[in-house]
Amino acid sequence: MKTTTDRGAATRNRILTAAGELFRRQGYAGTGVKAVLQASDVPYGSLYHFFPGGKEEVGVAVIESSGAVYRELVEQIYGAHADVAVATEEFFAGAAAVVEQTGYADACPIATLALEVASTNEPMREAAASVFDSWLEVLTVRLVEEGVAEQRARELSVELFCLIEGAFLLARTTRSVSPIHVAGAVAAESVRRALPRRRRRAQPGGART
Amino acid sequence: MKTTTDRGAATRNRILTAAGELFRRQGYAGTGVKAVLQASDVPYGSLYHFFPGGKEEVGVAVIESSGAVYRELVEQIYGAHADVAVATEEFFAGAAAVVEQTGYADACPIATLALEVASTNEPMREAAASVFDSWLEVLTVRLVEEGVAEQRARELSVELFCLIEGAFLLARTTRSVSPIHVAGAVAAESVRRALPRRRRRAQPGGART
């Protein structure tokens, strides 16, 4: 039997899923609270119970929750491989597969929202900045673990971020995953070059022990 | 004295400028034709005279016209330097300066629109794809001129595109131009590495003759 809290969490999630989908499809500015209520089949009072700040608070929560999902994905892929260059290859290849399978719809929902609100909505911009920063942190920590100096690891994380996000933009716009593969090869090569020599000799593709 | 055609072009431009600004500020979906008419101070009939397809045709024209401006900018910067690596450094440094000077508002207006409409508006997606392709073409031609093999030149152009667009996203979201500088250093180094050896020795920073 579900507890009240379970039901509450389910309702909250339903709102976030519906809102995320609408923001992605028609933009944040183009989506009214009424549309979110209809799509999530939730009464007005429920939405304001979970999100007293209304649409903006929903926007922040959408960014935070999808951001956390993507951070876990990065952690998972980069944690599963002893070789971070191989992890990078797999990350880009996986991204290309998802983009292709979803008909070029799903890539990075946060990027779309972030660009839309960067100059118009400070709480949402800040939420997106925190999310991006958390991804960069995961990568940086993993690269430092492999012997890359802190500053270099941070720059390399920024490079990987730019490559994947830029590739998503070009792939979705041109309906081709080729840019994601090109960016992935560049990213993996940059990681390989940044690793200390002894690490480069590690067994390629070996799972972490 | 202005001719009718001049006046027509001026009206058309006023519509495009106002619409571009509104799309950038509040998204394409969030902008109605009424708002475009008000912001450009143009009567309903004029808008439909120049853009019989209404808002969507305005959207396509906004993408095409800003796309042409940016293509010229790429041509100008990459045409002004004998050393394409130096041109790349200058391009990224100039972009960082503009982003900072405009309070993180102006970076790539087409990227924001392209992500918003990629899955919802085919004519606008196609217009953005053509624009991006025209930028890649300018870069590819310039790199081939410097002795980079065609296929490699194309891939390198895709890499530079991803780096600048990803950096714009991160810079605008985090309100820091640091990602643009990091991406610029990576881009210039990639260009340097791709150039045939004899070209790498060319006088650094020299203007083209």
Side-chain angles (χ1 to χ4, degrees):
Chain A
M1 207 183 89
K2 284 195 173 180
T3 65
T4 313
T5 319
D6 281 342
R7 271 201 297 274
T11 305
R12 190 177 182 279
N13 279 338
R14 215 159 69 232
I15 296 169
L16 290 183
T17 306
E21 176 62 23
L22 287 167
F23 294 161
R24 189 164 65 77
R25 238 176 39 219
Q26 56 191 43
Y28 174 77
T31 302
V33 166
K34 212 182 266 181
V36 176
L37 294 173
Q38 275 168 0
S40 55
D41 196 20
V42 152
Y44 186 86
S46 275
L47 190 140
Y48 281 90
H49 168 70
F50 290 107
F51 305 100
K55 187 174 121 173
E56 180 177 281
E57 198 173 336
V58 173
V60 167
V62 162
I63 289 171
E64 284 170 350
S65 63
S66 7
V69 170
Y70 281 80
R71 194 194 60 238
E72 275 161 35
L73 185 72
V74 177
E75 271 170 348
Q76 207 175 13
I77 294 174
Y78 278 84
H81 292 277
D83 186 327
V84 278
V86 172
T88 302
E89 274 162 9
E90 181 160 312
F91 185 79
F92 279 76
V98 168
V99 168
E100 200 161 26
Q101 280 155 21
T102 59
Y104 295 87
D106 288 326
C108 178
I110 297 168
T112 310
L113 266 180
L115 281 180
E116 186 188 340
V117 303
S119 303
T120 51
N121 189 309
E122 214 31 30
M124 285 176 70
R125 180 194 69 74
E126 281 172 13
S130 294
V131 161
F132 289 162
D133 215 59
S134 76
W135 301 349
L136 294 173
E137 188 57 23
V138 169
L139 282 175
T140 303
V141 166
R142 187 72 191 88
L143 289 164
V144 167
E145 250 179 46
E146 291 302 314
V148 180
E150 180 84 31
Q151 165 84 1
R152 184 76 196 85
R154 176 76 192 182
E155 285 170 7
L156 187 51
S157 302
V158 168
E159 177 186 344
L160 301 192
F161 176 97
C162 293
L163 286 168
I164 190 78
E165 291 290 355
F168 279 154
L169 167 64
L170 195 54
R172 290 192 63 207
T173 305
T174 61
R175 300 240 151 192
S176 157
V177 288
S178 155
I180 305 179
H181 293 302
V182 169
V186 172
E189 186 50 32
S190 288
V191 169
R192 240 169 233 122
R193 214 176 277 128
L195 292 175
R197 201 155 284 273
R198 69 194 155 82
R199 303 275 181 168
R200 292 193 212 169
R201 284 202 213 104
Q203 199 167 332
R208 277 176 95 183
T209 50
Chain B
M1 209 182 89
K2 282 193 173 180
T3 65
T4 313
T5 318
D6 281 341
R7 270 201 299 273
T11 305
R12 190 177 183 278
N13 279 338
R14 214 157 70 231
I15 296 169
L16 291 183
T17 306
E21 176 63 24
L22 287 167
F23 295 161
R24 190 164 64 78
R25 236 175 42 217
Q26 56 191 45
Y28 174 77
T31 302
V33 166
K34 211 182 269 180
V36 175
L37 294 173
Q38 275 169 0
S40 55
D41 197 20
V42 152
Y44 187 87
S46 274
L47 190 139
Y48 281 89
H49 167 71
F50 289 108
F51 305 100
K55 186 174 122 173
E56 181 177 281
E57 197 172 336
V58 172
V60 167
V62 162
I63 290 171
E64 284 170 348
S65 64
S66 6
V69 170
Y70 282 80
R71 194 194 62 240
E72 276 161 35
L73 184 71
V74 177
E75 271 170 348
Q76 206 176 11
I77 294 174
Y78 278 84
H81 292 277
D83 186 328
V84 277
V86 172
T88 303
E89 274 163 8
E90 181 160 312
F91 185 79
F92 279 76
V98 168
V99 168
E100 200 162 25
Q101 279 155 20
T102 59
Y104 295 88
D106 288 325
C108 178
I110 298 167
T112 310
L113 266 180
L115 281 179
E116 187 189 339
V117 303
S119 302
T120 51
N121 189 309
E122 216 28 31
M124 284 176 71
R125 181 194 69 73
E126 281 171 12
S130 295
V131 160
F132 289 162
D133 216 59
S134 76
W135 300 349
L136 294 174
E137 189 55 23
V138 170
L139 281 175
T140 303
V141 165
R142 187 72 192 88
L143 289 164
V144 167
E145 250 180 44
E146 291 302 313
V148 181
E150 180 84 31
Q151 166 84 1
R152 183 76 197 85
R154 177 77 192 182
E155 287 170 5
L156 187 51
S157 303
V158 167
E159 178 186 344
L160 300 192
F161 176 97
C162 293
L163 285 169
I164 190 77
E165 290 291 355
F168 279 154
L169 167 63
L170 195 54
R172 289 193 63 207
T173 305
T174 61
R175 301 239 151 192
S176 157
V177 288
S178 154
I180 305 178
H181 293 303
V182 170
V186 172
E189 186 50 33
S190 289
V191 169
R192 240 169 233 125
R193 215 177 275 126
L195 292 176
R197 201 155 286 272
R198 69 189 156 85
R199 302 276 182 168
R200 290 194 212 168
R201 284 201 214 103
Q203 198 167 336
R208 277 175 96 184
T209 48

